[in-house]
Each structure stands twice: as structure tokens, then as C-alpha cells.
Amino acid sequence: MPEPKITMQEVEQVARLARLALSDAEKESMRRELDGILSYIDKLRALDTEGVPPTSHAVPMTNVMREDEPVPSLPQADMLANAPDRSGEFFRVPKIIEE
Amino acid sequence: MLTDLTIHELAGLFRRKAATPTQAAREYLDRIAALDPKVKAYLTVTGEAALARAAEADARFQAGAPLSPLDGVPLGLKDVLCTRGVRTTCGSKILESFVPPYDATVVARLQRAGAVVLGKLNMDEFAMGSSTENSGFFTTRNPWDLSRVPGGSSGGSAAAVAADLAAATLGTDTGGSIRQPAAFCGNVGLKPTYGRVSRYGLVAFASSLDQIGPFTKDVEDAALMLQAIAGHDPKDSTSATVPVPDYAAGLGRGVEGLRVGIPAEYFIDGLDPEVESAVRAAIEILRGLGAKTESVSLPHTEYGLAAYYLIGPAEASSNLARYDGVKYGLRVPGSRDLIDMYSRTRGAGFGAEVKRRVMLGTYALSAGYHDAYYGKAQRVRTLVQRDFQHAFERVDVIVAPTTPSVAFKVGEKADPLSMYLNDVFTIPVNLAGLPGVSVPAGFTRAGLPIGVQVIGKAFEEETVLRTAKAYETATEWRKRKPELAA
């Protein structure tokens, strides 16, 4: 049997990085599915890309700048309108720092 | 019925005062009420607002002063485009109640043109999918066979045009999500050159690949829609400053002397024989109209899919990091701390395919894997682009199948990888940033639409559209409509 492309430990580590809570059943199907996808993607390894520059952007464009002039942004009320939990002009969240 | 008509036919009636925008809007809204329970294209119908806008358009036509060729025309918008004050879900539970405080640039442009927005259309969640089965709400059905998918991710946009539930719609295309559903639903579906249309207000999936484009009933309508939305936008730093030509002007020029490339790698074993024969027949028709065809090679085609399924998810993992329950969208209550809130919110709010791609992208970008996966994929992207550059030294357009098969049954492609293979002919075009259109090329014996794809050089939508127009004029596919009884 070929080496698994991704281990359960890696699935858990990546889920932590991606801030995704996965059930045990989800982790197992995730491991299987990612394994299949990564095996397919492995065909890229056969391709010689020595000396080929990476393309991050289809159309050649470099840093697009604008004049440093303030322009109206969105009103604060609009920005807070979708807040799940709001306290005055703040978005309220659970505590960040562990006791 | 006004709902049978194209944009340009409707506009003609409006100008001659043979019909009004309010009549058109009413007919479309009635048809949506009668048929959408079966087709399930719409997530949100904005009936009142549509009638208000239509009334304003009525007055303009009364005064003989329409704003544009789209004035008073009823349109639908894929629910990935921000519409101020109108719920925008991206097909996701994580944004089920999200109401954007601003309009996407394309939406603002359509409003300024006088278009009437009927509502927001269903899609695969965050534009990730090829069947609309990944919508967090329900699966849109193919109007040609309600047991089949309309394609994806812009399934609602395609189905709405096919079922005459909008005169035209906007969708988005990152790996084929306009062209593939257009092929499955028998529409014209255009993906412009990357940068041709502003992405401001398009909820981002993969920022180097996403483009907005129209679904229409014919090629002339696609030119009219593109005209309204194309052009540089200072709010989108990836939008091109290339001037916008008059897309309708040269449509009838024909294809005499046009050099058409037929890519060998797109005619592979897995291609449905009925699709192949329809596409080859289309090529014959173009030859008959004076085009010169030759074989071209795009040798890295088979690697495009693999590269896309690294680049797309990598960019998505970054773009979807913002869905964290802090400022908008779903927040799962009762979390012990901030990280717990993020994880539980995203775990509850994202569907399976989105989670898969976020995981894949995070993995491909993580330390130790970044070069082997993401870096490698970017180099392959260069090779795919170069394939097209070489081919376009010898030909003006490339004509190929849009999809390897026709619309499949709901539930048929349960394995993620088998779903991804739907986009094998569309993905390379996104990687290279080129314009591509799918146009109706016939039907299978079972009555399912087949699409043919025309791919052009960057910013040469005119050439792509006139090729499509010449083919369309020589055929009658557009006269056939799905049978949909209320």
C-alpha cells in the first residue's frame, strides 16, 4: 500500500492552523479525502520546473498605488450593523488571554 | 411572452413603447413564483425593489431617455456579489443573515445602467464546486432535467437564464464556474480576461483567478452585459486600465480568415462522444464560414487541474480566514475563548467542501510544504500560460469542448476528485487569465445541452465574441427551450 500522503496528526495540526473544529468523523473523512486529492496532485512532481519562474498573477501588474489622500469610508453604524455582539462602538468577543 | 426575449429584443420593445419595464418585471416575478419552487435558482427575490426600479425605468422610456441598452432589463445576480441592503450569503450558512453595507462595483454599474435586479441566485458555497450541490441551503436543478445538476458554482445564475427566470444574470468563474454551468444549461456564459471586470464587492474565493461575467440567452446580450460591467476600477487594484472597446460593434464581422486552433489535449479518452461530435461539428461550421483551423498543442493541460487545486485552495484559505464570527456572519455562542469561538464558528458555518479546500490550502502553504506544493503549482501555472502564448503565436482563438460530459444527476459525483474533473477544460483558461466563452452547441440524444468553448488572447473579448456570434448565427440551438410546466 502506498505511503499515506497525510497523517491524522497532520490533519489535526492543519485544522488547528485553519481554526476549524472538526468532529472525529469529519477528521477521518478529511484524512481520506485529502489523501486522495494529494495523491492526484502528486503528478506535478513528475514535471520538470527547473528554472521556471512562479506566476502569482495572470496579468502582469506591479504595485498599484493611489494618492495619499483621505477619502470617505463607510459610516461606523454600517460597519457595526452585522455585528453578532456589539458593545457601543466595539465588536465584543470572548476573552483573548488565558487566565 | 416577454420572458422569452433577449435583452436586445426587450430593449427594442421598450424603446418602441410596445412593452414597459414594469410589465417585464411583473412577468418575470410571476414566472419565478410559478417555476422557481422546482428550479430553485433564487436564494432571495427582491420583488418590491424590482418593481420600484422598473417604474423608474418606465418613466425614462416614456420620456424617450433610457440610460443604456440595459435600462429596465430584469437581471439576477449570483449571491457572491455584495448588494447594499440585500442579504448576500455566498451560498453559506456562515453568512446566512449577512447584509452588505455597500454594492459591488458591477452591481453599482448595472444600477447606473438602469437594470432591474430581481434577486440573488444560488451557488456552491463560496463558489467552491461544480454542481451547486455544495450550497449551504439547497441544490438548484437543471431546467432541462430537474433530476440533474445545473453545474456550478454559478448554478442558480445558469438555471435562471435557461428557465427564463431572468433576462440575463451575473455569475463568477474561478475554475470554470460560469462556462461549465453555461454548457450544462444551454446558455452563453462568458468569463472575461482577468482584470477586465472589477472584483470590488465580489466576495473573494481565489483572488488571482476570480472573474465576474454574464450568463445570457445569446451572444449579443453577452456583449451588452460585458459593456456595462467592464472597465478599470480604482477600488480594485487588480483591475486593468486597458480601454473598453464597443463590444457590440464588431460582433457581425464574421470569421473569414480567422485562425482557429484545435487543442489536441482537449480531445481525450474521457470526453463524452456526443460532446466531441457536437464540438467537431461546430468547428466544421466555423470552417464553412471561412475560418482557418489547425491543430495546436497545450502540453501542460493535464497538470492544470492539479495546479489549480493547490493555488485555488491556498488563496481561499487566506481569503476565508475572515469568517471568524467577530464582525459579521455566524457566531457560535458559548465559546470559552477567542480561538475556540473561531474554530466552533467555522466548524459549524462552513460546509464540507469549503472545509476541505481550506484544509488543503492551509496544508499547501504551511512550513515545510510551501515550496513543494504551492511554489510548484505556481511554476506549473507559468507553463500553462506559456502553452497558450505559444499557441496564440499561430492562431487567433482556440475552440474546444467546455466540459468532458453533460449535466450529471444530483448525487452522482460523491467523490470530491471526480467532481473536480469536470473543470479540466476550463481551469487552464483561469490559470492563464484569458477570456473564454461557452456557447450552446447542440443537445445529446437525451436532450441535454452541450457547450463549445472559445478561448482568446488577453483582452480580446471582441474576437472571442465575434467567433461565438458567427457560430451562433449559423445554428438554431437557442430556439429550443426546456419544457417547464408550473
Side-chain angles (χ1 to χ4, degrees):
Chain A
M1 215 191 81
E3 277 275 323
K5 295 258 152 241
I6 185 167
T7 64
M8 184 55 86
Q9 194 182 29
E10 284 174 317
V11 167
E12 287 171 344
Q13 168 59 2
V14 171
R16 261 193 302 276
L17 287 174
R19 305 294 187 228
L20 279 177
L22 300 175
S23 70
D24 286 339
E26 279 178 312
K27 282 183 202 170
E28 186 39 56
S29 37
M30 186 69 73
R31 200 207 57 77
R32 254 183 304 114
E33 286 156 357
L34 289 182
D35 200 80
I37 295 166
L38 289 168
S39 298
Y40 175 81
I41 282 171
D42 228 29
K43 63 157 67 177
L44 292 183
R45 264 202 240 195
L47 213 38
D48 181 13
T49 51
E50 188 62 46
V52 179
T55 298
S56 63
H57 210 84
V59 181
M61 233 175 240
T62 48
N63 294 331
V64 174
M65 310 289 268
R66 67 175 175 86
E67 289 307 310
D68 187 11
E69 275 157 23
V71 290
S73 184
L74 286 170
Q76 193 182 60
D78 285 8
M79 299 304 277
L80 290 165
N82 283 288
D85 187 359
R86 175 188 170 171
S87 172
E89 4 166 76
F90 296 91
F91 296 100
R92 188 162 46 197
V93 297
K95 68 178 161 70
I96 295 167
I97 299 166
E98 303 238 340
E99 308 286 1
Chain B
M1 299 269 359
L2 296 177
T3 52
D4 292 336
L5 304 179
T6 60
I7 293 173
H8 58 90
E9 287 165 344
L10 256 188
L13 291 185
F14 292 161
R15 275 195 309 271
R16 294 200 296 281
K17 303 192 172 133
T20 65
T22 293
Q23 283 168 340
R26 279 237 161 78
E27 267 192 42
Y28 271 110
L29 289 168
D30 287 346
R31 196 172 160 85
I32 290 168
L35 294 176
D36 204 44
K38 286 194 193 170
V39 177
K40 300 172 176 304
Y42 281 89
L43 281 168
T44 301
V45 177
T46 51
E48 260 182 56
L51 289 169
R53 303 266 313 147
E56 289 166 11
D58 285 354
R60 290 192 292 268
F61 279 102
Q62 271 303 309
L67 288 168
S68 81
L70 297 184
D71 203 338
V73 174
L75 305 176
L77 303 172
K78 184 177 185 179
D79 209 18
V80 72
L81 295 167
C82 284
T83 41
R84 182 158 192 270
V86 176
R87 183 178 82 137
T88 298
T89 67
C90 304
S92 179
K93 290 204 144 38
I94 217 169
L95 289 177
E96 190 166 3
S97 324
F98 175 65
V99 180
Y102 69 102
D103 279 326
T105 293
V106 295
V107 174
R109 286 183 179 180
L110 288 176
Q111 311 276 33
R112 276 203 298 277
V116 172
V117 176
L118 295 168
K120 307 301 291 298
L121 295 159
N122 197 23
M123 52 185 284
D124 280 303
E125 188 179 2
F126 288 110
M128 298 183 195
S130 310
S131 67
T132 310
E133 290 168 293
N134 294 329
S135 167
F137 304 106
F138 45 79
T139 299
T140 300
R141 299 309 176 109
N142 192 315
W144 297 89
D145 177 342
L146 297 173
S147 72
R148 291 177 186 265
V149 300
S153 60
S154 312
S157 304
V161 175
D164 289 323
L165 300 177
T169 59
L170 284 186
T172 64
D173 190 312
T174 303
S177 291
I178 289 176
R179 291 161 289 148
Q180 182 253 30
F184 279 14
C185 288
N187 314 132
V188 175
L190 171 68
K191 181 198 88 67
T193 308
Y194 182 87
R196 179 75 288 184
V197 177
S198 168
R199 294 183 302 110
Y200 180 76
L202 163 59
V203 176
F205 156 18
S207 309
S208 79
L209 298 165
D210 293 345
Q211 268 296 281
I212 300 167
F215 286 89
T216 57
K217 302 184 194 185
D218 72 4
V219 174
E220 184 177 344
D221 279 4
L224 295 175
M225 289 287 282
L226 182 62
Q227 197 73 50
I229 59 176
H232 179 250
D233 179 12
K235 293 187 197 153
D236 175 4
S237 63
T238 64
S239 71
T241 51
V242 174
V244 180
D246 181 343
Y247 290 114
L251 266 188
R253 260 180 65 195
V255 294
E256 182 66 51
L258 188 77
R259 299 168 305 163
V260 173
I262 319 295
E265 293 82 3
Y266 283 47
F267 291 85
I268 47 171
D269 269 341
L271 179 58
D272 181 323
E274 288 187 274
V275 172
E276 175 166 1
S277 101
V279 172
R280 291 208 185 275
I283 291 164
E284 267 317 298
I285 286 180
L286 288 172
R287 264 202 271 265
L289 293 169
K292 303 269 167 278
T293 64
E294 65 180 88
S295 187
V296 294
S297 178
L298 300 171
H300 297 93
T301 299
E302 66 165 300
Y303 300 103
L305 205 124
Y308 172 82
Y309 278 102
L310 283 172
I311 294 170
E315 294 185 3
S317 71
S318 175
N319 282 324
L320 270 63
R322 68 193 63 180
Y323 303 107
D324 56 15
V326 174
K327 299 193 287 291
Y328 45 75
L330 175 74
R331 177 191 293 196
V332 167
S335 306
R336 28 165 220 280
D337 59 37
L338 192 63
I339 305 285
D340 189 41
M341 181 185 90
Y342 292 164
S343 303
R344 301 219 274 135
T345 295
R346 293 157 65 80
F350 286 156
E353 183 61 34
V354 168
K355 284 182 194 168
R356 236 181 326 261
R357 296 202 198 185
V358 166
M359 291 284 290
L360 189 49
T362 305
Y363 180 79
L365 289 172
S366 62
Y369 292 121
H370 185 288
D371 258 2
Y373 284 122
Y374 183 66
K376 184 78 179 181
Q378 287 189 309
R379 288 169 218 280
V380 174
R381 185 174 188 171
T382 304
L383 294 176
V384 168
Q385 268 200 314
R386 284 180 184 171
D387 280 0
F388 281 104
Q389 275 157 10
H390 292 148
F392 281 130
E393 281 163 13
R394 299 196 351 246
V395 298
D396 304 306
V397 294
I398 288 169
V399 173
T402 308
T403 55
S405 75
V406 293
F408 43 89
K409 296 237 181 232
V410 172
E412 186 181 321
K413 308 250 177 217
D415 168 51
L417 203 45
S418 76
M419 186 67 80
Y420 298 166
L421 290 167
N422 274 292
D423 294 325
V424 63
F425 301 143
T426 47
I427 275 169
V429 179
N430 299 84
L431 289 174
L434 302 173
V437 71
S438 181
V439 287
F443 297 86
T444 61
R445 280 185 302 275
L448 297 171
I450 298 168
V452 64
Q453 188 178 195
V454 182
I455 302 162
K457 299 181 197 173
F459 301 104
E460 288 201 8
E461 283 81 1
E462 288 166 286
T463 310
V464 166
L465 288 171
R466 84 171 147 94
T467 308
K469 175 73 178 174
Y471 170 68
E472 180 189 76
T473 307
T475 60
E476 304 225 307
W477 308 125
R478 104 146 204 88
K479 299 218 164 109
R480 195 156 144 183
K481 297 261 191 189
E483 285 159 31
L484 278 169

